[in-house]
Amino acid sequence: MTANTQDAANVVAINDTTANPAPLGLLGFGMTTILLNLHNAGLFPMDSMILSMGIFYGGLGQIIVGIMEWKKNNTFGATAFTSYGLFWLTLVALIILPKTGSVPAPGDSAMTAYLVMWGAFTGVLFIGTFRMNRAMQVVFGSLTVLFFLLAAGDMTGNHMIKFIAGCEGIFCGISAVYAGLAQVINEVYGRTVAPLGLVRQPG
């Protein structure tokens, strides 16, 4: 037996038997997004309920999912979930830190730049979803629109734009919740109960 043959015989294949973390990340993102945009639509003020969701479920929850996706060798999932988890934490910090008196609150131009950057980032990830299912395309497509609507609202100070952004954000959050729960239900039943709109891969 040659050295190369011996090396090949010693290779051990490790099967990944861990659960799919994506539904948890989608639910953390989706539910937090719905609640924040109910506020943006004017239904209730910014309070500790939204901030707590942003810190724990939308923030830390998605960061944990991003690490799990990294372990599964999923670059898209690791990048997206970790980034949006940190987005929620930065958003909470933008609200809380100025109240300590240690730093000034961001002005409208600063928030516009912040939201435009996140919109551009999400737009590139949206291109990546063209190789995924339709549900993910809806989530990332509507999220891209949401960031730019929120940026426009801050840039112009137009309350109607902010209201429209809130309504669109509620839709975005619901689409993420659907995508997450659909994966859970489909796995439990071992068949497609809630369709995700699979995309036929080229080749």
Side-chain angles (χ1 to χ4, degrees):
M1 179 180 295
T2 65
N4 289 338
T5 305
Q6 181 65 44
D7 290 341
N10 291 334
V11 172
V12 177
I14 300 177
N15 293 324
D16 183 1
T17 59
T18 57
N20 176 14
L24 174 60
L26 288 165
L27 290 168
F29 169 80
M31 292 172 62
T32 309
T33 298
I34 291 170
L35 292 172
L36 174 63
N37 284 284
L38 286 171
H39 155 73
N40 288 335
L43 296 184
F44 45 70
M46 177 68 69
D47 56 22
S48 58
M49 178 273 289
I50 298 174
L51 297 178
S52 296
M53 285 289 288
I55 294 171
F56 297 104
Y57 201 25
L60 296 179
Q62 284 195 93
I63 292 171
I64 292 170
V65 169
I67 294 170
M68 296 167 70
E69 290 284 14
W70 169 74
K71 292 283 289 183
K72 284 182 168 292
N73 197 32
N74 182 352
T75 301
F76 183 95
T79 302
F81 287 121
T82 306
S83 294
Y84 292 123
L86 292 168
F87 161 78
W88 284 112
L89 294 183
T90 61
L91 183 62
V92 171
L94 286 170
I95 296 169
I96 292 179
L97 286 180
K99 297 183 183 300
T100 67
S102 59
V103 292
D108 290 340
S109 60
M111 285 304 300
T112 299
Y114 172 79
L115 293 166
V116 166
M117 286 298 296
W118 280 104
F121 168 74
T122 304
V124 175
L125 290 184
F126 173 56
I127 296 173
T129 64
F130 294 169
R131 297 294 299 272
M132 300 179 185
N133 56 60
R134 301 298 185 196
M136 293 300 291
Q137 293 173 15
V138 172
V139 172
F140 281 86
S142 60
L143 181 58
T144 302
V145 173
L146 173 60
F147 276 126
F148 285 115
L149 280 174
L150 291 171
D154 280 335
M155 181 174 61
T156 63
N158 188 311
H159 292 290
M160 179 55 66
I161 294 178
K162 293 183 179 180
F163 172 76
I164 293 171
C167 294
E168 201 275 346
I170 293 168
F171 169 79
C172 175
I174 290 173
S175 69
V177 169
Y178 173 83
L181 289 178
Q183 292 182 54
V184 174
I185 295 300
N186 291 344
E187 181 177 316
V188 169
Y189 280 87
R191 59 187 177 86
T192 300
V193 176
L196 292 167
L198 299 180
V199 175
R200 185 182 299 275
Q201 299 297 331

